[in-house]
Amino acid sequence: MAAAAAAGGAGAAAAAALWSEVNRCGQNGDFARALKSVNKILQISKDDVTALQCKVVCLIQNGNFKEALGVINTHTKVLTSDIIAFEKAYCEYRLNRIENALKTIQSASQQTDKLKELYGQVLYRLERYDDCLAAYRDLIRNSQDEYEEERKTNLSAVVAAQSTWEKVMPEDLGLREATYELCYNSACALIGQGKLNEAMRKLQKAEELCRQSLSEDSDVTEEDIEAELAIIHGQMAYIMQLQGRTEDALQLYNQIIKLKPTDVGLLAVIANNIITINKDQNVFDSKKKVKLTNAEGVEHKLSKKQLQAIEFNKALLAMYTNQADQCRKLSASLQSQSPEHLLPVLIQAAQLCREKQHAKAVGLLQDFADQHPASAAEIKLTMAQLKIAQGSVTKACMILRSIEELQHKPGMVSALVTMYSHEEDIDSAIEVFTQAIQWYQQFQPKSPVHLSLIREAANFKLKHGRKKEAISDLEELWKQNPKDVHTLAQLISAYSLVDPEKAKVLSKHLPSSDTMSLKVDVDALENSHGATYVRKKAGKLTGDNQQKEQGQGDVKKKKKKKKGKLPKNYDPKVTPDPERWLPMRERSYYRGRKKGKKKDQVGKGTQGSTTAGSSELDASRTASSPPTSPRPGSAAAVSATSNVIPPRHQKPAGAPATKKKQQQKKKKGAKGGW
């Protein structure tokens, strides 16, 4: 017994030494060494509650959340939910088991401040923003410690998420935007409201505050500052993209990617936005960027709507790259996840249209419209567009007219009337006008749109010869506003085509010319920018011209004839040819074209030969026979050109008579029956 007691005393002393070691390591932050000491303690006493708690904390501090949760689940009898609820919920939260973390928190008997903080984080990840907002308000109201600034930052993040994803008008929380995180969240809330310019100014302020706070730490490098600013710059680029400044946005997006930030969520969002800028262009770049959206852990960093948008863009990219099977697979998966969402069905229909299966695409859209009446209007608009693309304008009109909630809209009426006019179906166009006017007459009789539709209907009917129907509309308009001179003038004009007497009676209601006279500066009106005729400013007149202008104001001014130009070789001493105005053939000295004229043999003969060389080598030309023309380059050729007519220009003797006899012989032969 004494030996046993001694052993027990030695074990207690060893345990005490180990606990001292655990305490010292915990204060120094050396949790790996502390864990070794805790394990030694558990070898001595395996069910020691404090040692098990310490082991779980050490594992959490070292990032071993799965192992820590395993220890908790193994020792459930000892580590009850009241003792270790926070640690268990935190491990589940870090392992992205958000629903389990929520159940663990809610099952705890006592809601400590730590559990409430974690509860707010869990609600935010579950996108239960209203409950999350209430949780943080309660925390800020009932706690006073050094973490108040972080709670306010989280509160502003919840408000920004509501504004962005739920389109809820954010309330003014009265938070002093002293940190760049608060400025950033405020900017996000403004983006959700569509106040882009104001949001950009907030982001610029956030960037300035971030640089200022980080530059105070001497250990922080410029690269660290740029990495921290990456999320702010990403939001700036998003605003530029929304404003249509796609080149600036693209440049900033690529700058962020070059920094290689560790936030996989940020990289996925930027890559997705670049893909949306590229659209069906620069597909190779989009295929590289889409890999960033598939990084591990992305699904835990982004909201459901962000992930959904990325998946939609993947399906569209597959369609643009002619990966039909992949496109169908992705769109079908999206439709199963969100059966009521419109975009997956539209992507499937677009893919079918690319495959020239228009009828199948229309059938798919029709089935979806029947199953989801809330989205029927948008689906039917797409169906109508497909019908127009196929050339079935009348069927497209039938589909558009089946959208009851849009029938009376001015845009729909205008589109239908235009389409029916194109098909020369005037009765259907007038029917569209009538239905819309009746709707406004019943629900909004005093609406300006109502009167505008009546006027447009009257103009349309007048244009297409429906004068009596147009008169009825114009009378209704005039009845609504008897002082409308424009309507009265239209009505008189219409009656003048049908019933002139009635037009005369109505014309008495027109105001007199004196009452209608307006103070108009005629000169200013004629010289205005839109005038079809602009009177030229008169120049200064002097002497006789001024008298003529005053005396002969009605006489049209004659244009001065320009003095004719004389030819360059004009000689005033030589009498001009009196027949110079006649065509050459009709002049008395015309002798006709000279025939039989031989052309120069240019380019004939062997390569390198010339006409001069061939004549010299001709053996038939002997020295005794005199040349018919002077040789080129000789003294005779130069001197004889002024007085002597060359043989080539002389008419051969007897040539015309011989030609006549030949022609007569040909005529006699022609009568012989050839």
Side-chain angles (χ1 to χ4, degrees):
M1 292 296 293
L18 289 170
W19 278 117
S20 298
E21 180 72 11
V22 169
N23 185 40
R24 185 173 63 256
C25 291
Q27 289 177 351
N28 295 333
D30 190 355
F31 295 101
R33 191 170 180 181
L35 182 60
K36 292 178 181 178
S37 300
V38 168
N39 286 332
K40 290 178 182 179
I41 294 169
L42 288 171
Q43 287 175 358
I44 299 170
S45 176
K46 64 177 182 179
D47 291 330
D48 190 324
V49 177
T50 306
L52 287 170
Q53 279 184 290
C54 288
K55 183 174 183 178
V56 169
V57 170
C58 289
L59 289 170
I60 289 172
Q61 291 289 348
N62 291 329
N64 299 323
F65 305 109
K66 197 170 183 178
E67 190 177 347
L69 191 60
V71 172
I72 294 169
N73 292 331
T74 305
H75 300 83
T76 51
K77 290 181 181 179
V78 181
L79 299 173
T80 60
S81 59
D82 292 337
I83 296 173
I84 206 157
F86 173 76
E87 287 78 4
K88 183 181 180 182
Y90 185 75
C91 288
E92 290 170 336
Y93 173 77
R94 292 300 301 268
L95 292 169
N96 296 306
R97 303 173 187 177
I98 310 300
E99 294 287 350
N100 293 341
L102 180 64
K103 289 177 183 177
T104 302
I105 294 169
Q106 290 174 338
S107 64
S109 58
Q110 186 180 1
Q111 295 293 320
T112 61
D113 287 345
K114 290 194 298 182
L115 274 174
K116 288 179 181 178
E117 295 273 6
L118 185 58
Y119 181 58
Q121 293 284 345
V122 168
L123 290 174
Y124 184 83
R125 287 285 300 275
L126 291 171
E127 300 182 22
R128 291 170 53 180
Y129 299 123
D130 290 334
D131 296 336
C132 184
L133 196 65
Y136 277 116
R137 276 179 168 164
D138 179 62
L139 275 168
I140 292 170
R141 194 182 300 114
N142 298 316
S143 60
Q144 290 182 348
D145 52 26
E146 66 273 17
Y147 299 109
E148 185 179 358
E149 199 69 36
E150 284 81 353
R151 294 189 189 100
K152 287 181 179 179
T153 301
N154 290 345
L155 183 67
S156 66
V158 176
V159 172
Q162 279 186 316
S163 175
T164 304
W165 308 123
E166 296 180 351
K167 302 302 177 185
V168 175
M169 182 62 69
E171 56 182 299
D172 187 6
L173 301 172
L175 299 175
R176 191 172 62 89
E177 296 169 0
T179 63
Y180 70 89
E181 292 94 343
L182 283 168
C183 273
Y184 174 81
N185 289 335
S186 177
C188 293
L190 289 168
I191 292 172
Q193 298 173 64
K195 299 177 180 178
L196 302 180
N197 292 329
E198 195 174 343
M200 182 63 86
R201 287 193 290 272
K202 287 279 184 186
L203 289 172
Q204 289 167 351
K205 183 182 176 183
E207 181 183 9
E208 184 181 344
L209 288 171
C210 182
R211 287 186 181 278
Q212 190 175 355
S213 63
L214 294 178
S215 59
E216 293 173 0
D217 189 348
S218 57
D219 295 333
V220 177
T221 63
E222 185 63 28
E223 290 181 359
D224 296 333
I225 295 173
E226 289 298 324
E228 189 69 21
L229 287 171
I231 191 167
I232 298 174
H233 290 159
Q235 207 71 311
M236 285 180 171
Y238 176 62
I239 291 175
M240 293 174 187
Q241 185 176 350
L242 291 178
Q243 291 175 331
R245 298 160 55 192
T246 52
E247 291 297 327
D248 296 336
L250 200 59
Q251 185 178 359
L252 194 50
Y253 283 142
N254 286 320
Q255 284 178 6
I256 296 167
I257 289 175
K258 285 179 183 177
L259 292 172
K260 297 180 180 179
T262 55
D263 189 347
V264 291
L266 174 63
L267 279 174
V269 168
I270 289 173
N272 174 75
N273 292 354
I274 291 174
I275 291 168
T276 60
I277 291 174
N278 289 340
K279 294 182 180 178
D280 57 343
Q281 304 296 319
N282 203 0
V283 178
F284 181 73
D285 179 62
S286 295
K287 289 184 77 173
K288 286 197 299 182
K289 294 295 187 295
V290 82
K291 293 177 183 177
L292 295 173
T293 65
N294 298 325
E296 185 181 356
V298 167
E299 66 275 12
H300 306 306
K301 291 285 187 179
L302 304 178
S303 68
K304 290 178 183 176
K305 290 195 175 181
Q306 286 175 313
L307 292 170
Q308 194 178 58
I310 288 172
E311 292 301 311
F312 287 149
N313 287 330
K314 285 180 183 177
L316 288 169
L317 183 61
M319 184 181 72
Y320 289 140
T321 52
N322 298 318
Q323 295 175 293
D325 293 335
Q326 179 74 1
C327 177
R328 278 191 285 269
K329 183 180 176 181
L330 288 168
S331 56
S333 173
L334 285 165
Q335 192 173 4
S336 63
Q337 294 171 16
S338 307
E340 296 184 358
H341 205 289
L342 188 63
L343 201 52
V345 182
L346 293 176
I347 293 172
Q348 290 177 38
Q351 180 60 42
L352 288 170
C353 289
R354 286 173 74 89
E355 296 170 4
K356 308 298 181 184
Q357 300 183 47
H358 294 87
K360 197 172 180 180
V362 172
L364 179 70
L365 293 171
Q366 184 63 59
D367 292 341
F368 185 85
D370 295 338
Q371 294 170 10
H372 304 89
S375 303
E378 294 177 73
I379 286 290
K380 287 181 178 179
L381 288 170
T382 307
M383 290 167 61
Q385 185 178 357
L386 290 177
K387 288 293 182 185
I388 292 170
Q390 291 177 287
S392 303
V393 179
T394 305
K395 289 182 179 178
C397 290
M398 290 172 63
I399 294 170
L400 291 174
R401 293 184 70 176
S402 67
I403 309 173
E404 295 180 1
E405 61 267 36
L406 299 179
Q407 278 186 353
H408 61 280
K409 298 290 184 182
M412 180 63 77
V413 173
S414 175
L416 284 169
V417 169
T418 303
M419 290 162 70
Y420 276 128
S421 300
H422 182 268
E423 295 295 296
E424 298 182 357
D425 189 354
I426 307 305
D427 291 332
S428 296
I430 292 173
E431 188 181 350
V432 169
F433 270 124
T434 305
Q435 288 177 353
I437 290 167
Q438 287 174 352
W439 187 93
Y440 279 99
Q441 183 67 38
Q442 184 178 357
F443 298 104
Q444 298 178 16
K446 294 184 179 180
S447 170
V449 179
H450 182 208
L451 301 178
S452 176
L453 280 173
I454 295 173
R455 188 179 299 281
E456 290 300 323
N459 291 336
F460 182 82
K461 291 168 185 176
L462 283 172
K463 181 180 177 182
H464 292 89
R466 306 294 181 89
K467 301 178 183 65
K468 292 182 179 180
E469 297 175 42
I471 286 169
S472 176
D473 291 335
L474 291 169
E475 282 180 339
E476 178 64 27
L477 275 176
W478 191 43
K479 185 180 177 182
Q480 295 279 348
N481 186 7
K483 294 182 180 180
D484 189 355
V485 180
H486 177 65
T487 303
L488 179 58
Q490 274 190 306
L491 185 58
I492 293 168
S493 177
Y495 263 120
S496 66
L497 301 172
V498 179
D499 189 352
E501 293 299 324
K502 181 71 175 177
K504 287 181 182 179
V505 173
L506 287 172
S507 63
K508 294 178 182 178
H509 295 281
L510 287 170
S512 63
S513 58
D514 297 333
T515 57
M516 290 182 68
S517 63
L518 302 171
K519 293 180 180 179
V520 178
D521 187 348
V522 178
D523 293 335
L525 188 63
E526 286 182 345
N527 293 321
S528 66
H529 179 69
T532 54
Y533 165 75
V534 180
R535 187 174 62 189
K536 292 183 179 179
K537 292 181 180 179
K540 292 183 179 180
L541 301 174
T542 54
D544 297 336
N545 291 334
Q546 190 173 4
Q547 291 175 3
K548 286 180 182 179
E549 183 66 25
Q550 292 173 356
Q552 299 179 0
D554 297 334
V555 179
K556 194 172 181 181
K557 191 175 180 181
K558 291 183 180 180
K559 291 183 179 179
K560 290 182 179 179
K561 289 185 179 180
K562 289 185 178 180
K563 204 169 184 180
K565 290 183 178 180
L566 294 170
K568 292 180 180 179
N569 58 354
Y570 172 69
D571 188 357
K573 296 178 181 179
V574 178
T575 306
D577 184 4
E579 297 182 8
R580 65 186 181 280
W581 308 114
L582 296 175
M584 184 61 75
R585 291 176 178 275
E586 296 179 11
R587 299 182 190 181
S588 58
Y589 49 82
Y590 179 68
R591 294 291 178 266
R593 291 181 64 187
K594 295 179 181 178
K595 297 182 181 180
K597 182 174 161 185
K598 292 183 180 179
K599 295 180 180 178
D600 293 339
Q601 300 295 322
V602 180
K604 299 293 179 79
T606 57
Q607 185 176 2
S609 65
T610 60
T611 54
S614 61
S615 61
E616 289 175 2
L617 294 173
D618 191 354
S620 62
R621 295 179 181 238
T622 58
S624 58
S625 58
T628 55
S629 60
R631 293 182 180 180
S634 63
V638 174
S639 60
T641 52
S642 57
N643 299 321
V644 181
I645 300 174
R648 291 169 59 191
H649 292 180
Q650 294 177 1
K651 293 181 183 179
T658 311
K659 193 172 182 181
K660 273 187 180 180
K661 286 180 182 179
Q662 287 176 356
Q663 287 176 353
Q664 286 173 2
K665 285 181 182 179
K666 282 182 182 179
K667 285 180 183 178
K668 286 180 182 179
K671 290 178 182 178
W674 279 95

